[in-house]
Amino acid sequence: MKRIRILAFLLSFMILVSCTLINRSTTTEDLTSTMTTEQTTTTETSTMTTTEQTATTETSTTTTEEQNTTTTEDEWSDYYADAYGKTGDALKSALHNIIDDHTELTYDEVKYALRDTDEDPVNPNNVILFYTGRTQSKNEFGGDVDDWNREHVWAKSHGDFGKTMGAGTDLHHIKPTDASVNNSRGNKDFDYGGSLHNECIILKCKTDSDSWEPDDEVKGDVARMMFYMAVRYEGDSGEVDLELNDSVNNNSAPYIGRISVLLEWHQLDPVSDFEMNRNNIIYEDYQHNRNPFIDHPEWVNLIWNN
């Protein structure tokens, strides 16, 4: 009997130990499962947070880009307020009223102003010469072969305004140019073709008996100057009335051609940083008016291709 009791006790003890071990194993598995679930949840939360941060960054970038675009588009909104929403002659008239009555310079003052408007950004002691692209000392002004002088891009004989204050001294169409190249251009209208000029080495320019073709790099500059002049000078207040046509050999008539070519050049050569900076200097420091076709190139087509 005693032996039977001992065996029964041992059997009960072994059953109790086995149950305890099973419970502990189950608890460990549950704990491990719970920890794994928590880690997965934490990882997912972290991923979501990173995604949200990325989305926030992208949204911030987009917002910044939109602000920059708005700033660029609206920078001169007050200045051009009366021109928005107009086309054709109505737009041309509105722009004329905006840029009219600018501060006028004397012909001598133009010489010194060009040293600012066309300063070489790499060498502030020099100016960059139009048509040739050559950089030259600001002090080498004159009429000798390698000097620079004042070029009226709207030739001053086209309308016979000469050097008078107004059209004859308007910085928006006067550029520093090699003296002999200026002489070769003379009062020729703008068109394609001709032979290369031997002094147009950096920038290539061509000429024939009745026309002048600048390099591709400044074709748009020429076109936008001509568009400005045709809007700024409308014959009021005793000023000359300048217009564009599609001819060459305009001579002393108040016209410059060819408008079809100028429209092409405007598209071919978009506004450059140098051109925009020049527009700003003329506005802020000298004439206090702007070339609207530098600020709003799209207005060209709204007036002449409408």
Side-chain angles (χ1 to χ4, degrees):
M1 282 298 289
K2 185 176 180 180
R3 190 175 290 174
I4 291 171
R5 287 196 201 97
I6 291 171
L7 287 172
F9 173 78
L10 289 173
L11 181 61
S12 298
F13 180 75
M14 291 176 66
I15 290 171
L16 178 63
V17 169
S18 296
C19 289
T20 302
L21 289 173
I22 290 170
N23 287 337
R24 284 182 178 178
S25 175
T26 301
T27 302
T28 302
E29 289 176 357
D30 290 344
L31 179 61
T32 301
S33 176
T34 300
M35 290 176 65
T36 302
T37 301
E38 289 176 350
Q39 287 175 346
T40 301
T41 302
T42 302
T43 301
E44 289 175 349
T45 302
S46 175
T47 302
M48 288 175 65
T49 302
T50 302
T51 302
E52 290 171 352
Q53 290 174 342
T54 302
T56 301
T57 302
E58 290 175 350
T59 301
S60 176
T61 302
T62 301
T63 302
T64 302
E65 289 174 351
E66 288 175 349
Q67 288 174 342
N68 289 340
T69 300
T70 301
T71 299
T72 301
E73 290 177 349
D74 294 342
E75 185 175 4
W76 300 107
S77 59
D78 291 340
Y79 184 77
Y80 292 118
D82 291 339
Y84 293 126
K86 294 181 173 67
T87 61
D89 289 340
L91 176 58
K92 188 169 183 272
S93 177
L95 290 176
H96 168 73
N97 291 331
I98 291 169
I99 65 177
D100 194 15
D101 298 323
H102 68 263
T103 301
E104 296 179 343
L105 280 65
T106 66
Y107 195 59
D108 191 57
E109 287 172 335
V110 168
K111 174 176 65 177
Y112 297 100
L114 292 177
R115 299 179 184 188
D116 290 336
T117 60
D118 292 81
E119 181 178 279
D120 185 343
V122 177
N123 184 352
N125 295 315
N126 287 9
V127 290
I128 295 179
L129 304 189
F130 203 49
Y131 300 140
T132 62
R134 189 172 78 239
T135 181
Q136 188 155 330
S137 171
K138 293 178 178 179
N139 296 323
E140 293 177 357
F141 177 90
D144 293 336
V145 175
D146 290 323
D147 288 340
W148 67 271
N149 60 15
R150 292 156 288 200
E151 152 74 336
H152 291 80
V153 183
W154 186 296
K156 58 183 180 289
S157 63
H158 289 235
D160 196 27
F161 50 77
K163 302 173 184 178
T164 57
M165 292 175 65
T169 62
D170 195 322
L171 289 171
H172 282 296
H173 85 112
I174 301 178
K175 296 282 283 184
T177 309
D178 177 272
S180 56
V181 173
N182 188 353
N183 185 61
S184 296
R185 188 270 162 128
N187 69 346
K188 295 171 184 174
D189 293 274
F190 294 105
D191 198 1
Y192 289 107
S195 302
L196 283 171
H197 193 286
N198 61 2
E199 290 193 70
C200 294
I201 298 172
I202 299 172
L203 300 181
K204 309 301 181 184
C205 47
K206 299 177 182 178
T207 187
D208 57 23
S209 62
D210 59 15
S211 70
W212 182 263
E213 180 185 353
D215 188 87
D216 288 353
E217 189 172 316
V218 294
K219 279 183 166 73
D221 302 51
V222 168
R224 286 180 282 276
M225 290 180 206
M226 300 302 94
F227 299 141
Y228 164 87
M229 293 294 283
V231 170
R232 169 61 185 84
Y233 297 96
E234 293 279 40
D236 55 349
S237 303
E239 294 178 332
V240 64
D241 185 5
L242 303 178
E243 298 295 341
L244 300 168
N245 66 14
D246 207 35
S247 302
V248 293
N249 285 323
N250 281 298
N251 298 316
S252 62
Y255 304 109
I256 279 278
R258 301 177 52 215
I259 187 172
S260 60
V261 172
L262 294 172
L263 289 169
E264 290 179 15
W265 291 356
H266 173 61
Q267 297 297 328
L268 173 69
D269 173 36
V271 175
S272 65
D273 290 340
F274 189 87
E275 202 176 352
M276 179 60 78
N277 183 62
R278 189 175 197 274
N279 200 23
N280 290 337
I281 293 172
I282 293 172
Y283 174 73
E284 293 167 3
D285 298 335
Y286 293 101
Q287 297 187 178
H288 312 297
N289 72 339
R290 303 184 64 80
N291 183 334
F293 306 108
I294 292 175
D295 296 324
H296 284 277
E298 73 279 7
W299 282 343
V300 170
N301 285 333
L302 290 179
I303 294 174
W304 285 284
N305 270 345
N306 185 44

